[in-house]
Structures are given as C-alpha cells and as structure tokens.
Amino acid sequence: MPEGNFLKRVIGELETPRTKRPFGSGWLSGSIALLAGITGLLMVIVLRYPTLTSMPDLAPIHQMLFFKPVLYFVLISGYVLAILSMMLRREKTLGVAAMVTVLSASLIGMLPVRHELHVDGVFFGLDFFILNVLFMGVLFVPLERIFARNKGQTVFRDEWREDLFYYLVSSLLVQILTYLTLAPSNFVNGQAGLGSLRAWVHDLPWVVQLLAVMFLTDLAQYWVHRAFHRIPFLWNFHAVHHSAKSMDWIAGARMHFLEIILLRSLTATPMFVLGFDESAIQAYILIVYVYSSFIHSNIGTSFGPVEKVLVSPRFHHWHHGLEKEAIDVNFAIHFPLLDRLFGTYHLPEGRWPRGYGIHGHPVPKGYWRQFLYPFRRG
C-alpha cells in the first residue's frame, strides 16, 4: 500500500464523525494509542538529541527520575491500546499506525548514539511542542466535550492539521521567537535610565505586579491588535489568524510567523522594561498561554457577571464572527474594560456568532500558502 494512501486512511479514521464511532468501536483506543505512539517517538528523539531538540529551560525535566518511567508507560500504553483497537475495530488502520509508531519509538530508543546532532547555540523546541500540546489538550479537550458550544464539533475537525502545524512551527522556533520578542525591550533597557522606576516597580507587592503586567500588556496588545485590523498591510498578516472557520483551543495557534514576532515584541515591552519581578513575568506567561487557548475554545458556558470583568470565549468568539456586527470589535485579550473605554465593545446578551472566518474566505488553506498570502496581496 502506498505510504500516502495509508496516511490518508489514518487521517480519515481520525476525522470519523462521532455518530460512526460509538464507544466500544475501537476508535477511541486507536486514537489514544496513536497519540501515545507519536508522543513516545518525539520523547525518544528529544532524549537522543537533547542539545538540538530541547529547550535549555526544560532540560531539568528530562533528567528527573520519573521521566523515563513515564516514557515507558506511554509506550506500553500505546502498545496495549493499539492491540485493543485492532481487536474491536473492523478498520485496523488506527491500530496498525499506532503499533508501527510505538515499535519505531522503541527501536530508535534501543539504537546506540554515536554522535549527537547539534549546531552551536541553536536548538529547536520539540520538547516544548510536546509539553504544549499535551498540557493544553488534556486541559481543554474534556472541557470542550462537556461544555461544548458547538456540540457537533470534534477534536479532529476541519483544518485541525494546519492549526496543529502552526503549534509545531511556533514551538520549534521558540528560540528565534524569544530573541526577537526581547529585542525591543533589550534596546530600551540599554538606552533609557530607568533604574529608580524599575526598583520601585520591583518592590511592589507580587499580586499588584502580576495584575499590572496583565493590564499593561493588554493595553499595548489592544492597540497593536487594533492596528492589525485597521492598517491594510498589517491586516493581510492578521487575516491568517481570522481565516479559522472553527473555534477551539488549538485555533488560537493559527497566526502568521511575522505577526507573532511583531505582536509579542511590542506587547511584551512594558513587561520587560519596567522592572517587574521575574516570577511575576513567568506567572503571566503561563497565564497568557492558557488564556489564549481558553478564549478561542469551543466552550459555551455562560460566565455571567465575570464576562464584564474578564474576557470570555463568547466575547472573543464575537471578535472572530462572520457577521457584519462582529467586524473590528473586542480587541482586548484579558480586560473588556479596554473595549468599553475605546468604543469597540460588543457582547449582545445571550447571543453567539453564527459562523467564523472572513467574509468570502479569501485566505487559502495550508500553512505555506497562508504564509505567502500577505506578500501576494501586496
């Protein structure tokens, strides 16, 4: 069987409608087995080539005593679930794919390492990708299943592959993204004499610092975000993000690489210039990672009065809505107050958008075509 045809069959199996894969059909065990196999394979690659594939900040995790036992558990679980899927499911594609992946990971893990691949000073965040997807997936997939806004939407909905690829690219290139994100604030810190201000900010209570970081970055992001909507050249890049026709926890990853650089570098500048405690900054970074997935998620729960204070999925879904009333509204990421102050607040009582994306859907499908889209638009 040609490799391409087998891959298409695997994808087709993953995208099987919920009505055609009831519990006990072997689809769930096969899908989890394949996830375990791919996770195990990537973890093995990270362990074999840590200098090239691992973020230095995550290196201590790989050296912990529990890391290898967890890896063995993942691979054994994948093996057992693959067998179960092949026993239960008439179509054996998922089980076979999972088994091949698990066995490949095991084989690669047993091979001797003669020379570790590395390029001086350069790394790719493969372990960061694994951690990101597993953490966010474990957190949001059950929530989206239980509290779904669109109850018919599945994990493997239309366009899930390209959104996952966006996750992969931004994780692998975390080194260059971090460097470029810090460039403006490093320049300001090198030129401006802000020692006394930085010392005063650093001495503020930790909770006050965290709230200040959230507000200042949201204020900066509000205006940068609004500029991406109002300036045609910038909109060509931001349109890629708005091209998503489905909303869930992974849809927020769809963002043009150059937009990520510009958005992060400008919005992070107050955070790194004003002297906030490093632990407050790290706490904010964790919050914003989770919060970005949350506001894009397929969670239809009403948050009542909280929606007036903090951005909710319904608030941000209106930002992505297809309707005319959803154009250029709700730019804030954390605090709706900013949209109220600057006249862009829109949250009709009890209503959600009927659809998502851009009218006419001008942005092509596929990562590389979307990457080139802004330049072809001129």
Side-chain angles (χ1 to χ4, degrees):
M1 180 188 300
E3 181 180 346
N5 289 343
F6 182 72
L7 181 58
K8 288 180 179 178
R9 286 176 58 186
V10 172
I11 293 171
E13 273 287 279
L14 290 173
E15 295 175 350
T16 301
R18 190 172 287 134
T19 55
K20 296 184 179 180
R21 48 172 176 84
F23 185 76
S25 66
W27 181 90
L28 183 60
S29 56
S31 298
I32 295 176
L34 183 57
L35 174 63
I38 294 173
T39 301
L41 179 60
L42 296 180
M43 290 170 71
V44 166
I45 293 172
V46 169
L47 283 177
R48 292 180 64 82
Y49 307 109
T51 304
L52 186 65
T53 63
S54 175
M55 283 184 65
D57 291 345
L58 297 180
I61 296 177
H62 310 151
Q63 299 164 7
M64 291 182 178
L65 293 176
F66 70 82
F67 189 81
K68 286 190 176 179
V70 168
L71 173 58
Y72 297 146
F73 174 78
V74 168
L75 292 175
I76 292 171
S77 298
Y79 180 80
V80 172
L81 290 172
I83 293 175
L84 179 61
S85 178
M86 287 189 285
M87 291 173 59
L88 294 175
R89 193 159 182 79
R90 183 174 182 179
E91 171 58 66
K92 311 299 181 185
T93 304
L94 281 180
V96 171
M99 184 65 72
V100 169
T101 309
V102 169
L103 293 178
S104 298
S106 302
L107 179 61
I108 292 173
M110 291 187 294
L111 293 175
V113 181
R114 296 187 178 182
H115 301 286
E116 184 188 337
L117 299 173
H118 71 276
V119 180
D120 288 342
V122 175
F123 67 85
F124 299 96
L126 185 58
D127 54 351
F128 186 50
F129 170 71
I130 300 169
L131 183 64
N132 259 339
V133 174
L134 286 181
F135 177 73
M136 295 299 184
V138 169
L139 181 61
F140 284 105
V141 169
L143 291 176
E144 291 187 336
R145 185 73 176 93
I146 298 170
F147 305 106
R149 165 60 188 167
N150 180 359
K151 298 186 183 301
Q153 183 170 298
T154 62
V155 175
F156 301 106
R157 43 78 175 169
D158 188 33
E159 300 181 328
W160 70 271
R161 284 173 285 159
E162 60 192 57
D163 288 344
L164 184 63
F165 191 73
Y166 274 99
Y167 235 119
L168 176 64
V169 170
S170 61
S171 298
L172 291 181
L173 300 182
V174 64
Q175 183 182 31
I176 187 171
L177 285 174
T178 301
Y179 175 80
L180 294 174
T181 295
L182 294 175
S185 55
N186 286 339
F187 175 79
V188 173
N189 286 331
Q191 301 298 318
L194 300 174
S196 57
L197 175 62
R198 289 171 59 87
W200 178 79
V201 170
H202 190 272
D203 289 339
L204 290 172
W206 189 89
V207 173
V208 173
Q209 290 192 47
L210 178 60
L211 291 175
V213 168
M214 291 182 66
F215 181 78
L216 290 173
T217 54
D218 204 17
L219 179 62
Q221 178 154 308
Y222 174 92
W223 288 108
V224 175
H225 191 179
R226 191 165 173 173
F228 269 101
H229 277 253
R230 298 296 175 85
I231 300 173
F233 175 72
L234 294 178
W235 168 251
N236 292 335
F237 291 91
H238 192 54
V240 172
H241 180 64
H242 277 266
S243 67
K245 299 174 187 175
S246 301
M247 293 291 281
D248 63 7
W249 65 276
I250 203 171
R254 179 187 296 224
M255 190 176 291
H256 196 282
F257 189 74
L258 295 182
E259 182 186 354
I260 296 176
I261 294 171
L262 185 58
L263 184 66
R264 289 186 183 178
S265 61
L266 293 178
T267 58
T269 297
M271 179 170 63
F272 291 110
V273 165
L274 294 177
F276 291 103
D277 187 271
E278 185 176 349
S279 63
I281 292 175
Q282 293 299 326
Y284 170 73
I285 291 173
L286 176 60
I287 289 171
V288 78
Y289 262 110
V290 176
Y291 211 79
S292 177
S293 295
F294 168 66
I295 63 177
H296 288 91
S297 65
N298 181 31
I299 294 177
T301 301
S302 172
F303 292 89
V306 176
E307 288 188 334
K308 299 184 181 300
V309 180
L310 295 173
V311 169
S312 65
R314 189 166 73 93
F315 179 92
H316 195 67
H317 278 222
W318 272 110
H319 179 73
H320 282 264
L322 268 175
E323 289 90 336
K324 186 176 181 179
E325 63 183 298
I327 296 174
D328 293 345
V329 298
N330 298 1
F331 294 108
I333 301 301
H334 299 304
F335 303 111
L337 172 65
L338 294 175
D339 285 284
R340 289 183 180 274
L341 288 174
F342 303 121
T344 52
Y345 182 86
H346 183 74
L347 193 63
E349 189 67 32
R351 290 202 292 122
W352 290 72
R354 292 191 299 271
Y356 305 102
I358 305 170
H359 183 69
H361 301 295
V363 180
K365 291 188 175 183
Y367 179 86
W368 294 112
R369 283 184 291 177
Q370 290 175 358
F371 182 84
L372 295 173
Y373 173 77
F375 307 103
R376 290 175 177 172
R377 295 282 296 176

PDB file of all heavy atoms in Angstrom, residues 329-346:
ATOM      1  N   VAL A 329     -14.344  44.505  16.482  1.00  0.00           N
ATOM      2  CA  VAL A 329     -14.801  44.649  17.867  1.00  0.00           C
ATOM      3  C   VAL A 329     -13.988  43.718  18.764  1.00  0.00           C
ATOM      4  O   VAL A 329     -13.328  42.790  18.300  1.00  0.00           O
ATOM      5  CB  VAL A 329     -16.310  44.320  18.014  1.00  0.00           C
ATOM      6  CG1 VAL A 329     -17.154  45.282  17.190  1.00  0.00           C
ATOM      7  CG2 VAL A 329     -16.609  42.869  17.620  1.00  0.00           C
ATOM      8  N   ASN A 330     -14.037  44.004  20.076  1.00  0.00           N
ATOM      9  CA  ASN A 330     -13.493  43.101  21.106  1.00  0.00           C
ATOM     10  C   ASN A 330     -12.010  42.782  20.886  1.00  0.00           C
ATOM     11  O   ASN A 330     -11.622  41.630  20.688  1.00  0.00           O
ATOM     12  CB  ASN A 330     -14.319  41.810  21.163  1.00  0.00           C
ATOM     13  CG  ASN A 330     -15.757  42.057  21.559  1.00  0.00           C
ATOM     14  OD1 ASN A 330     -16.159  43.195  21.784  1.00  0.00           O
ATOM     15  ND2 ASN A 330     -16.538  40.996  21.643  1.00  0.00           N
ATOM     16  N   PHE A 331     -11.175  43.813  20.955  1.00  0.00           N
ATOM     17  CA  PHE A 331      -9.740  43.623  20.735  1.00  0.00           C
ATOM     18  C   PHE A 331      -8.988  43.175  21.992  1.00  0.00           C
ATOM     19  O   PHE A 331      -7.880  42.664  21.895  1.00  0.00           O
ATOM     20  CB  PHE A 331      -9.122  44.926  20.223  1.00  0.00           C
ATOM     21  CG  PHE A 331      -9.598  45.325  18.863  1.00  0.00           C
ATOM     22  CD1 PHE A 331     -10.462  46.404  18.717  1.00  0.00           C
ATOM     23  CD2 PHE A 331      -9.208  44.644  17.730  1.00  0.00           C
ATOM     24  CE1 PHE A 331     -10.914  46.792  17.474  1.00  0.00           C
ATOM     25  CE2 PHE A 331      -9.649  45.019  16.474  1.00  0.00           C
ATOM     26  CZ  PHE A 331     -10.516  46.089  16.340  1.00  0.00           C
ATOM     27  N   ALA A 332      -9.552  43.393  23.158  1.00  0.00           N
ATOM     28  CA  ALA A 332      -8.858  43.049  24.406  1.00  0.00           C
ATOM     29  C   ALA A 332      -8.689  41.538  24.532  1.00  0.00           C
ATOM     30  O   ALA A 332      -9.498  40.760  24.029  1.00  0.00           O
ATOM     31  CB  ALA A 332      -9.632  43.589  25.600  1.00  0.00           C
ATOM     32  N   ILE A 333      -7.653  41.146  25.220  1.00  0.00           N
ATOM     33  CA  ILE A 333      -7.378  39.727  25.454  1.00  0.00           C
ATOM     34  C   ILE A 333      -7.723  39.338  26.893  1.00  0.00           C
ATOM     35  O   ILE A 333      -8.109  38.203  27.159  1.00  0.00           O
ATOM     36  CB  ILE A 333      -5.900  39.407  25.165  1.00  0.00           C
ATOM     37  CG1 ILE A 333      -5.566  39.752  23.711  1.00  0.00           C
ATOM     38  CG2 ILE A 333      -5.592  37.934  25.447  1.00  0.00           C
ATOM     39  CD1 ILE A 333      -6.409  39.015  22.685  1.00  0.00           C
ATOM     40  N   HIS A 334      -7.600  40.275  27.829  1.00  0.00           N
ATOM     41  CA  HIS A 334      -7.894  39.968  29.233  1.00  0.00           C
ATOM     42  C   HIS A 334      -9.058  40.791  29.794  1.00  0.00           C
ATOM     43  O   HIS A 334      -9.911  40.251  30.484  1.00  0.00           O
ATOM     44  CB  HIS A 334      -6.655  40.216  30.105  1.00  0.00           C
ATOM     45  CG  HIS A 334      -5.474  39.381  29.741  1.00  0.00           C
ATOM     46  ND1 HIS A 334      -5.514  38.014  29.702  1.00  0.00           N
ATOM     47  CD2 HIS A 334      -4.208  39.746  29.393  1.00  0.00           C
ATOM     48  CE1 HIS A 334      -4.325  37.556  29.349  1.00  0.00           C
ATOM     49  NE2 HIS A 334      -3.521  38.581  29.154  1.00  0.00           N
ATOM     50  N   PHE A 335      -9.057  42.104  29.509  1.00  0.00           N
ATOM     51  CA  PHE A 335      -9.985  43.001  30.194  1.00  0.00           C
ATOM     52  C   PHE A 335     -10.915  43.708  29.205  1.00  0.00           C
ATOM     53  O   PHE A 335     -10.465  44.596  28.457  1.00  0.00           O
ATOM     54  CB  PHE A 335      -9.205  44.037  31.007  1.00  0.00           C
ATOM     55  CG  PHE A 335      -8.262  43.432  32.013  1.00  0.00           C
ATOM     56  CD1 PHE A 335      -6.888  43.528  31.847  1.00  0.00           C
ATOM     57  CD2 PHE A 335      -8.759  42.751  33.117  1.00  0.00           C
ATOM     58  CE1 PHE A 335      -6.015  42.969  32.775  1.00  0.00           C
ATOM     59  CE2 PHE A 335      -7.895  42.180  34.051  1.00  0.00           C
ATOM     60  CZ  PHE A 335      -6.527  42.293  33.879  1.00  0.00           C
ATOM     61  N   PRO A 336     -12.201  43.346  29.179  1.00  0.00           N
ATOM     62  CA  PRO A 336     -13.168  44.005  28.286  1.00  0.00           C
ATOM     63  C   PRO A 336     -13.286  45.504  28.537  1.00  0.00           C
ATOM     64  O   PRO A 336     -13.774  46.236  27.677  1.00  0.00           O
ATOM     65  CB  PRO A 336     -14.491  43.298  28.609  1.00  0.00           C
ATOM     66  CG  PRO A 336     -14.108  42.008  29.247  1.00  0.00           C
ATOM     67  CD  PRO A 336     -12.824  42.283  29.972  1.00  0.00           C
ATOM     68  N   LEU A 337     -12.842  45.959  29.711  1.00  0.00           N
ATOM     69  CA  LEU A 337     -12.890  47.377  30.035  1.00  0.00           C
ATOM     70  C   LEU A 337     -12.224  48.217  28.947  1.00  0.00           C
ATOM     71  O   LEU A 337     -12.683  49.326  28.631  1.00  0.00           O
ATOM     72  CB  LEU A 337     -12.197  47.624  31.382  1.00  0.00           C
ATOM     73  CG  LEU A 337     -11.990  49.091  31.789  1.00  0.00           C
ATOM     74  CD1 LEU A 337     -13.343  49.768  32.005  1.00  0.00           C
ATOM     75  CD2 LEU A 337     -11.125  49.178  33.040  1.00  0.00           C
ATOM     76  N   LEU A 338     -11.152  47.704  28.366  1.00  0.00           N
ATOM     77  CA  LEU A 338     -10.437  48.462  27.332  1.00  0.00           C
ATOM     78  C   LEU A 338     -11.331  48.711  26.123  1.00  0.00           C
ATOM     79  O   LEU A 338     -11.326  49.813  25.552  1.00  0.00           O
ATOM     80  CB  LEU A 338      -9.170  47.706  26.915  1.00  0.00           C
ATOM     81  CG  LEU A 338      -8.100  47.568  28.004  1.00  0.00           C
ATOM     82  CD1 LEU A 338      -6.955  46.701  27.521  1.00  0.00           C
ATOM     83  CD2 LEU A 338      -7.597  48.946  28.430  1.00  0.00           C
ATOM     84  N   ASP A 339     -12.113  47.706  25.735  1.00  0.00           N
ATOM     85  CA  ASP A 339     -13.031  47.899  24.606  1.00  0.00           C
ATOM     86  C   ASP A 339     -14.152  48.860  24.972  1.00  0.00           C
ATOM     87  O   ASP A 339     -14.627  49.631  24.119  1.00  0.00           O
ATOM     88  CB  ASP A 339     -13.598  46.549  24.166  1.00  0.00           C
ATOM     89  CG  ASP A 339     -12.584  45.718  23.403  1.00  0.00           C
ATOM     90  OD1 ASP A 339     -12.354  46.027  22.222  1.00  0.00           O
ATOM     91  OD2 ASP A 339     -12.005  44.789  23.991  1.00  0.00           O
ATOM     92  N   ARG A 340     -14.589  48.830  26.214  1.00  0.00           N
ATOM     93  CA  ARG A 340     -15.613  49.788  26.650  1.00  0.00           C
ATOM     94  C   ARG A 340     -15.062  51.218  26.587  1.00  0.00           C
ATOM     95  O   ARG A 340     -15.740  52.149  26.128  1.00  0.00           O
ATOM     96  CB  ARG A 340     -16.053  49.462  28.079  1.00  0.00           C
ATOM     97  CG  ARG A 340     -16.901  48.184  28.201  1.00  0.00           C
ATOM     98  CD  ARG A 340     -17.346  48.000  29.647  1.00  0.00           C
ATOM     99  NE  ARG A 340     -18.149  46.797  29.821  1.00  0.00           N
ATOM    100  CZ  ARG A 340     -19.468  46.737  29.619  1.00  0.00           C
ATOM    101  NH1 ARG A 340     -20.133  47.821  29.224  1.00  0.00           N
ATOM    102  NH2 ARG A 340     -20.114  45.617  29.818  1.00  0.00           N
ATOM    103  N   LEU A 341     -13.822  51.400  27.051  1.00  0.00           N
ATOM    104  CA  LEU A 341     -13.224  52.732  27.067  1.00  0.00           C
ATOM    105  C   LEU A 341     -13.019  53.291  25.670  1.00  0.00           C
ATOM    106  O   LEU A 341     -13.199  54.497  25.441  1.00  0.00           O
ATOM    107  CB  LEU A 341     -11.877  52.686  27.803  1.00  0.00           C
ATOM    108  CG  LEU A 341     -11.913  52.502  29.316  1.00  0.00           C
ATOM    109  CD1 LEU A 341     -10.496  52.334  29.860  1.00  0.00           C
ATOM    110  CD2 LEU A 341     -12.599  53.690  29.991  1.00  0.00           C
ATOM    111  N   PHE A 342     -12.663  52.420  24.718  1.00  0.00           N
ATOM    112  CA  PHE A 342     -12.285  52.895  23.386  1.00  0.00           C
ATOM    113  C   PHE A 342     -13.336  52.606  22.315  1.00  0.00           C
ATOM    114  O   PHE A 342     -13.062  52.704  21.118  1.00  0.00           O
ATOM    115  CB  PHE A 342     -10.933  52.296  22.995  1.00  0.00           C
ATOM    116  CG  PHE A 342      -9.836  52.609  23.982  1.00  0.00           C
ATOM    117  CD1 PHE A 342      -9.141  51.599  24.634  1.00  0.00           C
ATOM    118  CD2 PHE A 342      -9.509  53.929  24.278  1.00  0.00           C
ATOM    119  CE1 PHE A 342      -8.144  51.887  25.555  1.00  0.00           C
ATOM    120  CE2 PHE A 342      -8.512  54.233  25.198  1.00  0.00           C
ATOM    121  CZ  PHE A 342      -7.826  53.217  25.839  1.00  0.00           C
ATOM    122  N   GLY A 343     -14.555  52.231  22.744  1.00  0.00           N
ATOM    123  CA  GLY A 343     -15.688  52.150  21.829  1.00  0.00           C
ATOM    124  C   GLY A 343     -15.731  50.960  20.907  1.00  0.00           C
ATOM    125  O   GLY A 343     -16.346  51.024  19.839  1.00  0.00           O
ATOM    126  N   THR A 344     -15.129  49.832  21.305  1.00  0.00           N
ATOM    127  CA  THR A 344     -15.137  48.650  20.433  1.00  0.00           C
ATOM    128  C   THR A 344     -15.754  47.435  21.128  1.00  0.00           C
ATOM    129  O   THR A 344     -15.559  46.299  20.693  1.00  0.00           O
ATOM    130  CB  THR A 344     -13.695  48.303  19.988  1.00  0.00           C
ATOM    131  OG1 THR A 344     -12.846  48.221  21.153  1.00  0.00           O
ATOM    132  CG2 THR A 344     -13.157  49.356  19.034  1.00  0.00           C
ATOM    133  N   TYR A 345     -16.510  47.685  22.185  1.00  0.00           N
ATOM    134  CA  TYR A 345     -17.116  46.588  22.961  1.00  0.00           C
ATOM    135  C   TYR A 345     -18.376  46.080  22.263  1.00  0.00           C
ATOM    136  O   TYR A 345     -19.225  46.868  21.840  1.00  0.00           O
ATOM    137  CB  TYR A 345     -17.453  47.087  24.356  1.00  0.00           C
ATOM    138  CG  TYR A 345     -18.053  46.040  25.284  1.00  0.00           C
ATOM    139  CD1 TYR A 345     -17.232  45.209  26.026  1.00  0.00           C
ATOM    140  CD2 TYR A 345     -19.426  45.912  25.421  1.00  0.00           C
ATOM    141  CE1 TYR A 345     -17.762  44.260  26.886  1.00  0.00           C
ATOM    142  CE2 TYR A 345     -19.976  44.978  26.281  1.00  0.00           C
ATOM    143  CZ  TYR A 345     -19.136  44.148  27.011  1.00  0.00           C
ATOM    144  OH  TYR A 345     -19.676  43.204  27.862  1.00  0.00           O
ATOM    145  N   HIS A 346     -18.498  44.754  22.139  1.00  0.00           N
ATOM    146  CA  HIS A 346     -19.697  44.163  21.531  1.00  0.00           C
ATOM    147  C   HIS A 346     -19.943  42.787  22.143  1.00  0.00           C
ATOM    148  O   HIS A 346     -19.196  41.850  21.893  1.00  0.00           O
ATOM    149  CB  HIS A 346     -19.533  44.036  20.014  1.00  0.00           C
ATOM    150  CG  HIS A 346     -20.766  43.507  19.337  1.00  0.00           C
ATOM    151  ND1 HIS A 346     -21.908  44.256  19.152  1.00  0.00           N
ATOM    152  CD2 HIS A 346     -21.037  42.282  18.799  1.00  0.00           C
ATOM    153  CE1 HIS A 346     -22.825  43.542  18.537  1.00  0.00           C
ATOM    154  NE2 HIS A 346     -22.324  42.343  18.311  1.00  0.00           N
TER     155      HIS A 346
END
